[in-house]
Amino acid sequence: PPHPVVVLHGGWGAEHSGLVDAVRDLEDEYHFVLYDQRGSLRSPAPDASITYDRFIEDLELLRAELGLERLNILAHSMGAVLASAYAAKYPDRIQRLVLVAPAYLKYPVPEEDHALRHKAFEASQAFAARPEVESELARYSLDRSDPPLGSREETARYRIDLARRMLFDVKKWRHLTGGRATFNGRIGDVITPTYPPDGWDFIAHFARGEYPVAIVVGDHDFLDFGTPLLTKWTAGLAHVQLTVIENAGHLICFDQQRAFSRELRRSLQANPRRAPGKS
């Protein structure tokens, strides 16, 4: 049977259900293992146990429990940071990484790249103000203040506002299920002080070529709008494949399901890690 694929959700503090649809097209081809990270919805944990290093060790415990020598990891957003941190510590335990819409793989972003990041941020802000968002709010009378919005209307407005940033096509806001009730926003506040003192540079680890890395990102992702940072950082890295999907935001699978599934399948099939001594 195909090698299992461990799937890491973003956040910090989100949960895995939002990624079920992302892998559904490949469920007959791969065994996807999805879990809620420590402190998230289905994995309650005391704050004292929530640290950057603990998250890495949780993943190592999962690998051992699954009885796998190496992991295929599919990770989204901050989950891509966790996947990369695990790979940096345990490179011999990685078969391949597939990083979807990754959070910053260099943190803090180097000063030399601040101008690139700022330009991308300004473009992202301009896109968030696109008239389609206000049109969608007006379509359902969600732009009113009187009479007050009902609870379902408040939920719809919240999801449209979230889609403003997360999606290319704001009309697909109904895909954004879950929301604040399933998101533990405290996790980010708890884990951030436990980051490595000097941050991280996972691009430098990838450059060593110890395992193949596929990065799949939308061209309208608010984190790297137009992908200037990822394009610069991955240039010339033989073991890193950057794929940019057009007309897609941070949640690529909702904007471009077919293109995403195609790239996910290709990323999981291509460039398998060679065993030592093999060519």
Side-chain angles (χ1 to χ4, degrees):
H3 204 70
V5 180
V6 172
V7 184
L8 302 181
H9 65 73
W12 309 108
E15 45 89 37
H16 81 264
S17 62
L19 291 173
V20 172
D21 285 338
V23 300
R24 196 176 300 281
D25 287 350
L26 279 70
E27 65 181 351
D28 293 334
E29 303 169 49
Y30 293 93
H31 174 201
F32 293 102
V33 179
L34 297 93
Y35 76 99
D36 286 359
Q37 294 155 25
R38 181 179 294 261
S40 290
L41 182 63
R42 300 169 191 81
S43 300
D47 286 359
S49 73
I50 296 170
T51 69
Y52 178 89
D53 288 339
R54 184 69 262 170
F55 273 45
I56 296 171
E57 296 310 314
D58 284 345
L59 189 48
E60 172 62 4
L61 287 171
L62 177 60
R63 180 202 62 78
E65 184 67 21
L66 292 172
L68 299 173
E69 181 180 355
R70 295 194 179 103
L71 292 178
N72 284 319
I73 301 179
L74 166 63
H76 179 253
S77 196
M78 282 306 294
V81 168
L82 174 57
S84 302
Y86 175 82
K89 184 171 184 180
Y90 295 107
D92 292 340
R93 297 301 190 185
I94 296 295
Q95 185 75 14
R96 78 182 74 231
L97 296 181
V98 181
L99 309 181
V100 178
Y104 294 127
L105 297 173
K106 293 186 181 185
Y107 177 84
V109 172
E111 187 173 349
E112 66 197 50
D113 295 327
H114 282 188
L116 279 179
R117 183 181 63 171
H118 182 69
K119 185 176 181 180
F121 171 76
E122 289 186 327
S124 174
Q125 291 293 94
F127 183 69
R130 61 198 183 278
E132 291 86 349
V133 177
E134 298 307 318
S135 295
E136 195 69 7
L137 290 168
R139 181 181 179 188
Y140 299 99
S141 299
L142 299 174
D143 54 350
R144 70 175 196 271
S145 57
D146 186 45
L149 299 181
S151 60
R152 288 188 177 182
E153 290 175 314
E154 288 279 9
T155 296
R157 182 179 177 92
Y158 168 78
R159 289 178 179 167
I160 291 172
D161 281 339
L162 189 61
R164 177 196 303 268
R165 187 170 69 151
M166 293 288 183
L167 299 177
F168 171 79
D169 185 354
V170 71
K171 292 181 180 179
K172 295 182 177 180
W173 59 269
R174 288 183 182 82
H175 290 296
L176 304 181
T177 56
R180 286 172 288 191
T182 60
F183 181 77
N184 187 351
R186 192 182 74 257
I187 301 302
D189 295 333
V190 173
I191 197 172
T192 300
T194 71
Y195 284 175
D198 297 327
W200 54 73
D201 181 355
F202 298 129
I203 299 297
H205 288 283
F206 299 160
R208 296 171 187 167
E210 296 172 286
Y211 41 80
V213 180
I215 300 176
V216 183
V217 64
D219 62 347
H220 285 68
D221 191 319
F222 75 95
L223 283 175
D224 188 23
F225 201 86
T227 70
L229 294 177
L230 284 172
T231 299
K232 177 183 177 183
W233 293 347
T234 61
L237 298 185
H239 292 268
V240 179
Q241 176 68 49
L242 174 65
T243 300
V244 181
I245 295 182
E246 294 183 354
N247 298 333
H250 192 59
L251 300 175
I252 306 170
C253 65
F254 296 143
D255 274 321
Q256 302 293 344
Q257 177 70 53
R258 288 185 180 180
F260 177 76
S261 294
R262 181 174 63 250
E263 290 304 326
L264 179 55
R265 179 178 288 108
R266 185 192 59 78
S267 297
L268 289 172
Q269 291 175 345
N271 301 322
R273 175 176 178 146
R274 295 186 179 93
K278 299 285 184 69
S279 61

